[in-house]
Each structure stands twice: as C-alpha cells, then as structure tokens.
Amino acid sequence: PNEGRQDRKLYNKKYGIGIIKFTHHSNTVICTSNPDMSISTHTDIIRYWSLHDNHFLRLYRGHTDKIVSMEMSPVSDSFISGGLDDTVRFWDLRTNVCQGILRRKGRPCVAYDPQGIALAIASGQNIIKLY
C-alpha cells in the first residue's frame, strides 16, 4: 500500500499553529496562531511563512478578534480570512495591507470555488452567500 512519509518538522513554538494553508508556492504557507499553544494572544494575525528557511516573510494585521477561517485563491496570490470580529478580509500575499472588508455577523466560514470566480461565505445564520 501507499504510505505517507514525513519530510521534516518545523516548529512555531512562540505562536503555535492554528489554521494553515499552502500558497501557490510549495515552500510557503499562510497560518494563524493557536491560542492554546501561544504565549501571546496574537490569534488575529496571519503569518506568511517560508518553509524553506523557517522564517516569516510578512504579517497581515487587521482582524481585531480570532481568525476562524482562511482560504487561498486557486488562481492568484490573494486570500481571504474570516474572524470573530464579524469581518471577512481580502488580502494579497504581495502586500500586508488589507484589500477589502465585508462585514458579516457570526462565525464566518469562507471558500473559493475551484475556478476562483465565486466566493462563498457562511456565517452562522444557516445561509451561504455567494459573491
């Protein structure tokens, strides 16, 4: 049978790892902190992390409460994040400035369709909104 093999381990002991998503580059990820592991409470910051040399390339600040969902665009270097601050934020890997904000009550769950044309947001109101 086919078996997975661990390539290596990388540690982020100071902040922990919450949500993690690969970018379009196999050696970089975006990730949030894990409040259970974190010495600090930086659960509202997204980190762009180089897996090649194990350091952060950029920080994305803007959420004012815990980030609970995040998704990379399948067609570009943009990504979206949803937080308990009732916002969905739009980002670009090339700049740490938020590109746009949607205000949505509840715990937003975000997703792109495979072609990157539509965006789905569910926010605890038993409704999925498509954009």
Side-chain angles (χ1 to χ4, degrees):
N2 292 333
E3 294 183 22
R5 178 181 58 84
Q6 178 179 307
D7 186 41
R8 60 189 162 142
K9 287 184 182 180
L10 299 170
Y11 296 96
N12 186 2
K13 292 181 180 181
K14 184 174 182 180
Y15 303 107
I17 303 289
I19 302 167
I20 187 166
K21 301 285 183 174
F22 273 100
T23 67
H24 297 290
H25 312 285
S26 61
N27 282 326
T28 58
V29 295
I30 51 174
C31 63
T32 64
S33 297
N34 181 350
D36 298 331
M37 303 267 312
S38 182
I39 295 169
S40 63
T41 58
H42 297 295
T43 60
D44 56 349
I45 298 173
I46 300 166
R47 290 172 173 79
Y48 185 23
W49 191 7
S50 169
L51 302 178
H52 174 71
D53 48 11
N54 197 26
H55 79 276
F56 298 117
L57 303 171
R58 189 168 287 122
L59 297 178
Y60 303 90
R61 300 173 193 262
H63 284 285
T64 58
D65 204 342
K66 181 180 178 182
I67 298 165
V68 293
S69 64
M70 188 168 57
E71 187 74 29
M72 276 297 304
S73 166
V75 296
S76 70
D77 282 339
S78 62
F79 66 97
I80 51 178
S81 59
L84 295 180
D85 58 357
D86 296 330
T87 66
V88 172
R89 293 180 180 263
F90 296 82
W91 306 93
D92 189 305
L93 288 176
R94 297 166 289 195
T95 178
N96 62 352
V97 177
C98 179
Q99 304 295 301
I101 300 172
L102 280 175
R103 302 210 183 276
R104 294 290 169 257
K105 293 284 184 192
R107 183 183 184 95
C109 183
V110 296
Y112 281 105
D113 78 298
Q115 290 79 34
I117 297 169
L119 165 66
I121 301 173
S123 59
Q125 301 165 341
N126 298 326
I127 297 172
I128 297 173
K129 294 184 179 183
L130 301 175
Y131 297 87

